[in-house]
Amino acid sequence: MSAFRPAFSFRAVLLLALSVLIAPTASAGIVVSVLPGSQLSVMPGDLATVDLTISGLGVGTSPSLGVYDLNLTFDPAILSFVNVNWGTGLDLFGLGDVRSATPSAGLVNLFELSLDSAADLNAFQPSTFLLASLQFQGVSTGTSNIALAINALGDANGAPLSANIVYGRASAVPEPSSRALLLLVGVWTLWAQSRARRQRHYYENTLSKIHS
């Protein structure tokens, strides 16, 4: 009588699990968010704010952000640019950096260059932080489209970074390691269920032969 053999071995399951854990996984990457979104509705004299944030940077490691150059466009018939409040992510210790806000008709250019060392930016810069908060005043009643263009993003050493632009708050997604773990648990569960069914079938057949 041959011994019970499952349809696929524990070694096969282990190899599959390891391949899941070490295989490259997609990353959400760096995201520049425009809040509250792609439109602002105002009445004359109203004040409205647009926040620009960045997320997806390293936690205590690279990549960090060392420089950025952005254009924010709006409808000048509805909105008038008032001022900008800068975040502190590129000026970690309050010692100053190089920054400018240059408004023109329907556009504000934002530029900021950190003077902190690359080691400090990589070690201490948050993974998510406010780049700048822009204040507008309503010129007339209406809704203005808001659009962001990334002219340049650079890491702590000035090397180019790529980023996605999101209008409004981005939905949270599981980290790649979490997705891999969930898949591993699912594979293990299927293997265990299959093994249990085959063992039960094997013992039922064995008992049937013994009593026949």
Side-chain angles (χ1 to χ4, degrees), residues 14-121:
L14 181 60
L15 289 174
L16 178 59
L18 288 175
S19 70
V20 169
L21 290 176
I22 66 176
T25 54
S27 171
I30 300 172
V31 173
V32 177
S33 298
V34 182
L35 304 170
S38 61
Q39 293 184 326
L40 275 183
S41 297
V42 295
M43 296 181 68
D46 285 353
L47 293 177
T49 300
V50 174
D51 289 338
L52 304 179
T53 66
I54 190 166
S55 60
L57 298 170
V59 179
T61 186
S62 61
S64 58
L65 183 68
V67 60
Y68 64 84
D69 184 349
L70 309 173
N71 284 344
L72 188 78
T73 57
F74 56 93
D75 186 346
I78 297 174
L79 296 174
S80 174
F81 173 70
V82 178
N83 60 34
V84 58
N85 294 312
W86 301 89
T88 59
L90 274 69
D91 184 15
L92 297 173
F93 308 110
L95 302 178
D97 58 7
V98 179
R99 58 178 65 159
S100 65
T102 307
S104 58
L107 183 148
V108 181
N109 173 261
L110 299 174
F111 174 83
E112 188 173 10
L113 171 65
S114 178
L115 299 180
D116 293 328
S117 70
D120 284 342
L121 288 173

Side-chain angles (χ1 to χ4, degrees), residues 191-205:
W191 176 81
Q193 291 174 344
S194 174
R195 185 174 186 273
R197 285 195 299 268
R198 290 179 178 275
Q199 280 183 322
R200 184 170 61 251
H201 181 69
Y202 168 76
Y203 290 123
E204 287 175 350
N205 286 344

